[in-house]
């Protein structure tokens, strides 16, 4: 009897050992991928590959890729592994330019799994790929031209006045504030007004529904880790299993808001010249024109040209002869409103936070920027306007330096859609391989930015920019797939800065974290413990 029990447990043990061995071999069989191709690479560690700190939430993803960038120093590119999936890190600015701009038709997609049927909010411009992305981008490009931004600016200005008033009492008391509490509400109010036509006023309504639904939207949940692990094993399996990116409460909220707003506007013939108005025009088959139409058409032509360049040679999935136009359904329209909201509010508020943080640490720069703001506003009757912000050239440099040190999206990714060979660099990339461009590696490379940890707006004088490769500053990406909302985001940040710095000073306090620690639990560049500063009323 005891002998039988012993054999039973022995067989179980053998089975467990066999399973572990088979699993280990399956998981690590790709770990020779780059070695077999004689490509420089960073040695992977089972089972995390080269992304252990990201998987275990012990390190910010941007710094994980920065570490890979540094380990591949001396090479134009190199291999790495996301868990078991091989990918390639690009280091050389000219190689980056070749892949994301010149040979864009090979790298049109980001490699993000979307499920339009079960997870409709995932089908937005940032995630989509191929022909559908191109058609949607063509349709949406005119909504973000300078002319449209100028039309929407009065909505931003109203929100900025509320922003200033909400901080007045704190400044008079010289209080310590948590920046995110205010800047996030400011940008949410702008997005609510410019995208949905709603007077949200979350600055005065702490329990506002928009603010509550936005919390943790870029956090890395257990579900997100499971999705990443499954997609690493079998790309696209999460769609088969029906695992959604968007929580149900957020999905229901955005569909309700968009449906109610569109129904009300169409029934009552209401127009606001905001983002949703433009989407309604597209949904109803109207084209969008702009006073900057020539430039808009040029950009769309460039996208189309890059997509179809070398199409015959590459065998790319896009069909040049396709004449079917994209129908902007309610689902597709809501998905665009969703990404406009989440990208527009979070990235802009975070950039504003980091900018004020650096200005508090570098008071001479804060003073110099305030002097420019005062001088320019004096020429514009004391009014913050679209035109007055354009005249603030030192502010441009301050914002660009902030985006260098703290790019909201720390890593650009592209997926190869058909086999590709970059002859100049002797590099072959197979279909399905992920390409990563580590912005923290490039933006902090002393070869491009001397003393990169120092906040130095002079990195962006015209002379300094001409001295380095254009593709060494990429907070908005580059090429046909660059950030379509760049103008809008920059306008939000500059409006917020001009409003605050014309009225208030910001000082660091003992609780201000120096140097700042970035959160490992967010896919965007976010301070781990927030940013606390003292706010004081300016004595002009």
């Amino acid at each position: 009897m005891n002998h039988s029990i012993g054999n039973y447990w022995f067989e179980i043990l053998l089975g467990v050992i066999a399973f572990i061995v088979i699993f280990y071999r399956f998981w690590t069989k790709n770990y020779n991928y780059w070695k077999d191709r004689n490509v420089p690479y960073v040695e992977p560690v089972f089972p995390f590959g080269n992304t252990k700190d990201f998987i275990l939430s012990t390190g910010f993803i941007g710094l994980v890729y920065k570490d890979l960038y540094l380990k591949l120093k001396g090479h134009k590119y190199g291999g790495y592994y996301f868990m078991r999936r091989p990918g390639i890190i690009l280091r050389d600015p000219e190689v980056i330019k070749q892949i994301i701009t010149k040979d864009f038709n090979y790298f049109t997609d980001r490699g993000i799994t979307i499920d339009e049927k079960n997870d409709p909010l995932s089908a937005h411009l940032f995630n989509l790929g191929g022909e559908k992305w191109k058609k949607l981008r063509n349709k949406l490009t005119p909504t973000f031209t300078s002319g449209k931004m100028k039309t929407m600016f009065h909505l931003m200005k109203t929100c900025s006045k509320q922003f200033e008033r909400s901080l007045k009492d704190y400044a008079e008391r010289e209080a310590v504030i948590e920046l995110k509490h205010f800047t996030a509400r400011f940008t949410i109010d702008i997005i609510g007004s410019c995208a949905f036509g709603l007077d949200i006023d979350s600055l005065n309504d702490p329990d506002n529904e928009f603010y509550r639904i936005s919390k943790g939207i870029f956090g890395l949940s257990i579900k997100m880790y499971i999705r990443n692990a499954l997609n690493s094993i079998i790309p696209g399996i999460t769609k088969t299993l029906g695992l959604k990116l968007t929580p149900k409460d957020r999905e229901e909220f955005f569909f309700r808001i968009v449906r109610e707003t569109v129904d009300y506007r169409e029934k009552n013939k209401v127009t606001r010249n905001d983002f949703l108005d433009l989407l309604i025009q597209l949904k109803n088959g109207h084209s969008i024109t702009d006073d900057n139409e020539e430039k808009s058409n040029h950009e769309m032509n460039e996208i189309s040209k890059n997509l179809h360049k070398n199409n015959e040679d590459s065998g790319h999935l896009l069909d040049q002869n396709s004449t079917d136009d994209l129908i902007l359904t309610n689902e597709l329209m809501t998905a665009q409103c969703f990404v406009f909201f989440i990208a527009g509010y979070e990235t802009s508020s975070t950039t504003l936070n980091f900018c004020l943080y650096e200005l508090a640490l570098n008071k001479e720069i804060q003073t110099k920027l305030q002097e420019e703001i005062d001088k320019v506003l004096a020429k514009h009757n004391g009014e913050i306007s679209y035109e007055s912000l354009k005249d603030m050239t030192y502010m441009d440099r301050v914002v660009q330096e902030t985006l260098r040190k703290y790019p909201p999206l720390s890593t650009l990714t592209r997926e190869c859609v058909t086999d590709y060979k970059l002859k100049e660099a002797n590099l072959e990339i197979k279909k399905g391989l992920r390409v990563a461009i580590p912005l923290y590696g490039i933006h902090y490379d002393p070869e491009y930015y001397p003393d990169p940890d120092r906040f130095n707006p002079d990195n962006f004088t015209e002379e300094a920019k001409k001295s380095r490769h254009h593709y060494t500053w990429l907070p908005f990406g580059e090429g046909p797939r660059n950030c379509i909302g760049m103008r809008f985001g920059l306008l939000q940040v500059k409006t917020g800065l001009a409003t605050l710095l014309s009225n208030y000073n910001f000082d660091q306090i003992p609780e201000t974290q120096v140097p700042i620690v970035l959160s490992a639990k967010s896919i965007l560049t976010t301070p781990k413990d927030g940013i606390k500063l003292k706010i004081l009323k300016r004595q002009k």
Side-chain angles (χ1 to χ4, degrees):
M1 181 72 174
N2 288 337
H3 179 71
S4 298
I5 293 174
N7 286 338
Y8 172 76
W9 284 110
F10 181 69
E11 288 174 1
I12 289 178
L13 180 61
L14 285 178
V16 170
I17 293 172
F19 172 78
I20 292 173
V21 170
I22 292 170
F23 177 78
Y24 178 82
R25 287 183 174 177
F26 163 76
W27 195 268
T28 61
K29 71 176 183 178
N30 281 342
Y31 282 1
N32 285 327
Y33 184 89
W34 294 118
K35 183 178 180 181
D36 292 343
R37 287 160 175 77
N38 198 31
V39 170
Y41 68 99
V42 181
E43 195 69 42
V45 176
F46 173 82
F48 307 106
N50 302 115
T51 53
K52 178 182 177 182
D53 286 344
F54 172 65
I55 300 300
L56 297 181
S57 285
T58 56
F60 172 54
I61 183 64
L63 299 182
V64 171
Y65 280 97
K66 179 186 178 184
D67 182 60
L68 295 173
Y69 178 91
L70 294 174
K71 287 178 178 177
L72 290 164
K73 186 175 181 179
H75 302 286
K76 292 184 176 183
Y77 55 84
Y80 79 104
Y81 297 88
F82 184 91
M83 300 184 77
R84 68 181 297 271
R85 187 176 180 182
I88 193 157
I89 295 276
L90 302 183
R91 295 188 85 261
D92 182 75
E94 196 58 37
V95 172
I96 294 170
K97 179 180 179 179
Q98 192 73 32
I99 283 179
I100 67 175
T101 302
K102 291 183 177 179
D103 289 334
F104 171 75
N105 59 306
Y106 292 88
F107 300 92
T108 57
D109 299 356
R110 296 189 192 275
I112 299 173
T113 301
I114 63 171
D115 185 352
E116 292 189 57
K117 182 178 179 182
N118 297 311
D119 192 9
L121 290 189
S122 68
H124 52 69
L125 192 65
F126 185 87
N127 287 350
L128 286 170
E131 185 74 8
K132 194 160 193 175
W133 167 80
K134 186 199 76 170
K135 289 182 176 180
L136 187 60
R137 173 84 183 208
N138 284 352
K139 280 183 173 291
L140 294 180
T141 290
T143 68
F144 290 98
T145 57
S146 56
K148 288 294 186 290
M149 295 304 98
K150 200 170 180 179
T151 303
M152 290 184 192
F153 184 76
H154 73 283
L155 301 173
M156 286 191 188
K157 189 172 178 179
T158 299
C159 295
S160 72
K161 289 180 178 178
Q162 294 171 339
F163 190 26
E164 183 214 328
R165 287 194 295 269
S166 70
L167 288 166
K168 185 177 180 180
D169 180 57
Y170 294 92
E172 288 175 347
R173 293 187 285 112
E174 298 188 358
V176 173
I177 62 171
E178 166 53 61
L179 285 179
K180 182 75 171 179
H181 175 80
F182 296 95
T183 58
R185 293 173 186 274
F186 166 60
T187 54
I188 282 174
D189 286 357
I190 288 179
I191 298 295
S193 184
C194 293
F196 300 95
L198 301 175
D199 183 14
I200 294 175
D201 196 16
S202 66
L203 285 160
N204 295 310
D205 179 8
D207 295 320
N208 179 268
E209 193 174 12
F210 266 93
Y211 185 72
R212 283 191 291 105
I213 211 75
S214 70
K215 281 188 172 182
I217 209 163
F218 285 103
L220 289 165
S221 63
I222 296 297
K223 188 175 180 180
M224 183 69 77
Y225 286 119
I226 292 172
R227 282 180 58 90
N228 287 336
L230 289 174
N231 276 325
S232 174
I233 300 169
I234 306 175
I237 192 174
T238 52
K239 182 176 180 179
T240 304
L241 296 176
L243 295 179
K244 300 175 65 163
L245 278 170
T246 316
K248 190 171 182 60
D249 61 333
R250 286 182 186 142
E251 182 179 289
E252 291 176 346
F253 172 78
F254 279 98
F255 271 104
R256 173 174 61 81
I257 290 294
V258 173
R259 182 181 63 252
E260 290 175 355
T261 308
V262 170
D263 287 349
Y264 175 81
R265 291 191 187 188
E266 292 189 327
K267 182 179 179 180
N268 295 281
K269 301 189 184 308
V270 173
T271 58
R272 273 179 57 97
N273 288 319
D274 56 17
F275 182 64
L276 193 55
D277 254 8
L278 302 172
L279 290 179
I280 292 171
Q281 290 180 45
L282 291 173
K283 181 176 76 76
N284 294 330
H286 303 299
S287 61
I288 298 174
T289 57
D290 190 81
D291 57 0
N292 198 22
E293 186 175 8
E294 184 178 341
K295 189 170 183 179
S296 302
N297 288 335
H298 173 71
E299 181 179 347
M300 289 188 283
N301 290 335
E302 284 298 305
I303 291 171
S304 182
K305 182 174 72 175
N306 278 304
L307 278 168
H308 295 304
K309 177 189 168 190
N310 300 327
N311 199 45
E312 292 181 2
D313 295 337
S314 68
H316 188 257
L317 57 82
L318 296 181
D319 180 9
Q320 281 194 93
N321 299 318
S322 175
T323 56
D324 295 333
D325 203 4
L326 181 72
I327 298 174
L328 199 67
T329 62
N330 288 331
E331 290 76 15
L332 203 54
M333 183 165 66
T334 304
Q336 308 325 306
C337 288
F338 173 68
V339 74
F340 186 84
F341 172 79
I342 63 172
Y345 109 81
E346 180 70 21
T347 58
S348 296
S349 66
T350 301
T351 300
L352 193 52
N353 288 346
F354 283 122
C355 190
L356 292 171
Y357 168 79
E358 288 288 354
L359 292 175
L361 268 55
N362 299 275
K363 293 304 293 289
E364 72 287 353
I365 297 176
Q366 182 176 161
T367 300
K368 185 175 179 179
L369 178 55
Q370 286 174 322
E371 289 172 352
E372 179 187 66
I373 292 170
D374 294 345
K375 184 177 179 181
V376 170
L377 292 185
K379 295 179 181 178
H380 292 266
N381 299 317
E383 287 291 318
I384 296 173
S385 63
Y386 186 84
E387 290 74 18
S388 66
L389 290 177
K390 285 182 68 176
D391 288 346
M392 297 179 190
T393 55
Y394 188 66
M395 180 184 286
D396 285 338
R397 287 155 55 187
V398 168
V399 172
Q400 287 174 68
E401 176 68 350
T402 303
L403 290 167
R404 177 192 70 82
K405 287 198 71 176
Y406 310 100
L409 192 63
S410 66
T411 308
L412 305 180
T413 58
R414 299 289 186 269
E415 185 173 278
C416 186
V417 295
T418 191
D419 291 353
Y420 171 79
K421 185 169 184 177
L422 181 62
K423 296 177 182 178
E424 295 84 348
N426 193 29
L427 171 65
E428 288 190 27
I429 302 177
K430 294 294 184 181
K431 179 181 178 180
L433 266 176
R434 187 84 51 90
V435 171
I437 302 166
L439 301 196
Y440 269 82
I442 298 168
H443 287 191
Y444 281 78
D445 193 328
E447 181 181 344
Y448 310 124
Y449 301 97
D451 194 6
D453 291 315
R454 183 168 73 95
F455 187 79
N456 180 16
D458 288 344
N459 281 324
F460 292 92
T461 62
E462 288 304 313
E463 295 77 10
K465 287 191 288 187
K466 288 176 182 176
S467 70
R468 61 178 177 265
H469 199 289
H470 178 66
Y471 281 65
T472 55
W473 186 78
L474 298 165
F476 298 103
E478 267 295 348
R481 197 141 197 170
N482 68 343
C483 176
I484 193 173
M486 177 177 67
R487 286 191 184 97
F488 187 89
L490 289 173
L491 194 58
Q492 281 190 103
V493 172
K494 291 177 182 179
T495 302
L497 281 176
T499 299
L500 295 181
L501 294 175
S502 61
N503 294 281
Y504 308 120
N505 290 321
F506 292 86
D507 288 349
Q508 70 178 107
I509 55 173
E511 295 87 346
T512 305
Q513 196 175 63
V514 183
I516 205 157
V517 177
L518 300 176
S519 173
K521 298 184 182 298
S522 174
I523 57 175
L524 294 182
T525 302
T526 306
K528 180 176 180 287
D529 300 312
I531 298 176
K532 291 180 179 173
L533 299 175
K534 181 188 287 187
I535 182 171
L536 310 90
K537 191 163 182 63
R538 277 186 69 192
Q539 302 299 322
K540 295 187 183 180

